[in-house]
Structures are given as C-alpha cells and as structure tokens.
Amino acid sequence: QNHDLSGLPPHKISAMGMRRTFQNGGSFGSMTVLENVLTGLNQQTTGTPLGIIFGLRGAYRAEAAAVLRARELLELMGLSAYAARVTANLSSGQQRIVEITRALAAKTQLLLLDEPAVGLSGTERDHLVSILRKLASEGISVLLVEHTIDMVMAVSEKVIVLNYGEVIADGSPAEIREHPA
C-alpha cells in the first residue's frame, strides 16, 4: 500500500495499522502490565467509560473482549506471569517487551522500533530477537533502527546501513557482512 503519511495526525496513522516504540521507553510505570497493554487497545474497544458507569451490557462485553485480547498478547510475548505487576518494578528489558506488546495490541501491520535493545542484557536481547522472529512469522512487518549489529543480522531479511543519513549499504545480512563500508 502506497500512502503518503506526511501531515497526517498520529491517530490516523495508527488507524492504518502502524505503531511505534520509543528509544527511551514508553511504558506507564505506575500501571500494571495488563493495564499498559489495554491502553494499546483503546481504538478498538467499542465500550465507553460512561457505558461502564451506567452498566451497559455492550460496554462490559467490549471491556471483557479487550481484557481477553490483552491476555492473549501477554501469553504470546511471554508476559502472562507479570500481568498484575506494576510496570515500574520490571527490568528494563521486560518494560521494553511490555511497550512492544502494547504497540501490537491493535491489529498492527507495521511496527517501528527505535533502538529496542538499548540497555538490555544479552539474555533479554536474545528474548527480544525471538519475539521479533515470532512477529515476522505472524505477518507483522518490523522496521528496526538499531546499533546492536548482531541483533540486526539475526532478525533482518533486509538491512540498510546509513552514515549521517546517507545510504552506504543495502542488502541481505550476508551481503551487508561482505560489504566493504
């Protein structure tokens, strides 16, 4: 799909299936893991706070469906055991996975990740690699901006190397390894 996104407001881009994460983290530290993921479902949830307040059945059904979807995502991402934990009490790697899970919550087709491996231990980075592979196998495209070369090579089908905004190499991981620049 060729769509010019220039000038579109974020909620319109989001409605097209594009989500992103931030390099410096973006989880809501005072909320639980489940609550963080539920915030990613806000555009898909048909219930409203007023509907909940007034006890409308449709609102309760919508909320129950959102919780079910969030729990499915937590299972997919290996976070089920942390659903009730406050996000601020998790490791930085676990917080990154929570942020990615929230970004995936609403029928994401393209996920933009800005240096998701920053500050992660080797074990956490390996877990992130397995998650990114799993997402690709489920048909979700990932645009990864990352300086951890081993991770880039482990998860990418295509690599574009930039130096001060200029493309210096473009190809498969194997081609990039052999590229002189």
Side-chain angles (χ1 to χ4, degrees), residues 135-157:
L135 296 178
S137 74
E138 300 213 357
I140 296 171
S141 298
V142 177
L143 176 63
L144 177 68
V145 175
E146 182 59 63
H147 291 94
T148 307
I149 302 304
D150 292 343
M151 182 179 151
V152 170
M153 296 303 197
V155 299
S156 300
E157 291 178 15

Side-chain angles (χ1 to χ4, degrees), residues 29 85-91 94-95:
R85 291 195 48 197
V86 174
T87 307
N89 296 333
L90 301 176
S91 72
Q94 291 166 326
Q95 288 181 36

Side-chain angles (χ1 to χ4, degrees), residues 12-168:
K12 296 265 188 193
I13 295 171
S14 177
M16 296 170 73
M18 187 182 304
R19 300 288 186 285
R20 66 162 299 188
T21 64
F22 298 91
Q23 178 180 352
N24 296 331
S27 63
F28 303 110
S30 63
M31 296 169 65
T32 67
V33 170
L34 179 62
E35 290 167 340
N36 264 274
V37 176
L38 284 168
T39 64
L41 288 165
N42 70 327
Q43 287 185 326
Q44 287 188 289
T45 305
T46 56
T48 65
L50 283 177
I52 297 292
I53 291 169
F54 291 114
L56 301 178
R57 276 183 265 179
Y60 281 116
R61 279 195 297 273
E63 183 178 355
V67 170
L68 179 64
R69 172 71 177 140
R71 289 192 182 281
E72 289 170 351
L73 285 165
L74 292 175
E75 180 69 31
L76 173 74
M77 303 297 273
L79 292 171
S80 293
Y82 303 101
R85 291 195 48 197
V86 174
T87 307
N89 296 333
L90 301 176
S91 72
S92 61
Q94 291 166 326
Q95 288 181 36
R96 290 242 188 232
I97 304 303
V98 169
E99 186 182 2
I100 292 169
T101 306
R102 185 182 63 230
L104 292 172
K107 297 183 180 175
T108 302
Q109 297 171 345
L110 173 61
L111 180 61
L112 309 173
L113 299 176
D114 185 12
E115 298 195 41
V118 168
L120 300 187
S121 70
T123 303
E124 290 170 330
R125 197 168 33 249
D126 291 345
H127 180 63
L128 180 58
V129 165
S130 69
I131 286 171
L132 295 177
R133 286 182 178 151
K134 187 183 301 186
L135 296 178
S137 74
E138 300 213 357
I140 296 171
S141 298
V142 177
L143 176 63
L144 177 68
V145 175
E146 182 59 63
H147 291 94
T148 307
I149 302 304
D150 292 343
M151 182 179 151
V152 170
M153 296 303 197
V155 299
S156 300
E157 291 178 15
K158 180 177 181 174
V159 178
I160 299 173
V161 181
L162 302 174
N163 185 23
Y164 294 101
E166 183 180 326
V167 175
I168 59 171

